[in-house]
Amino acid sequence: MRALLLSLGLLVGCKETPKPAAPEVRHSDEEEHGALPKQVRLDPNAIAEAGIRTEPAKRAALALTVTLPGEVTSEPDRTARVSAATAGRLDSVTFNEGSVVKKGDVLATLRVPDVGRLRGALAGTQAKAKAARANAARLKSLRES
């Protein structure tokens, strides 16, 4: 809290009442392209609209928490959209937003009704392939004899 009050005091030039004739922000061409300005003066109307107030610095215990306005967003470079290769229902999610995940971690469980049908089709195709190999081997032995 003390640092916040000190920075606000520096912002308005450490004065209780700014000069009314001062421009809103002063800096020269050299400051625009070189070093930052050493002092910023605000118009009294801008100070009133922003709700800035000054107080003398004093010793006090700092609060355990400081409430400030802000917005929590995810980092665009560190997020990814994940989509399923087939239609299904999301059964469970095993992480929270903001959690660190590693390659291979289970993120979610999907219930896919078509999986049973696809497994059956795979088993049928594998059985046909096995029968075709056995038939090819039988024909090869017949040809040689």
Side-chain angles (χ1 to χ4, degrees):
M1 188 70 168
R2 187 182 312 162
L4 179 62
L5 290 175
L6 182 61
S7 63
L8 285 176
L10 290 174
L11 180 67
V12 294
C14 297
K15 294 184 181 178
E16 287 288 327
T17 327
K19 296 178 184 176
E24 189 170 326
V25 176
R26 291 190 330 183
H27 46 102
S28 66
D29 289 337
E30 179 183 319
E31 290 174 338
E32 285 180 4
H33 300 290
L36 293 174
K38 302 234 184 288
Q39 191 174 36
V40 176
R41 296 194 186 276
L42 297 176
D43 182 45
N45 294 333
I47 292 172
E49 287 177 16
I52 298 172
R53 60 187 173 99
T54 59
E55 292 184 25
K58 59 184 175 186
R59 285 190 179 266
L62 293 176
L64 293 176
T65 60
V66 177
T67 304
L68 299 171
E71 182 178 341
V72 178
T73 60
S74 61
E75 294 181 49
D77 295 341
R78 298 186 64 176
T79 59
R81 290 196 178 271
V82 179
S83 61
T86 184
R89 186 185 77 211
L90 186 62
D91 192 42
S92 66
V93 177
T94 57
F95 72 99
N96 293 322
E97 187 173 345
S99 299
V100 177
V101 294
K102 298 175 190 139
K103 183 177 181 179
D105 287 353
V106 175
L107 302 179
T109 305
L110 294 174
R111 295 281 179 199
V112 182
D114 291 340
V115 168
R117 183 182 54 81
L118 294 173
R119 283 184 180 157
L122 175 64
T125 303
Q126 288 174 337
K128 286 180 184 177
K130 184 177 179 182
R133 283 189 202 100
N135 191 32
R138 184 184 63 81
L139 290 175
K140 183 178 180 182
S141 67
L142 283 176
R143 185 186 64 166
E144 290 173 358
S145 64

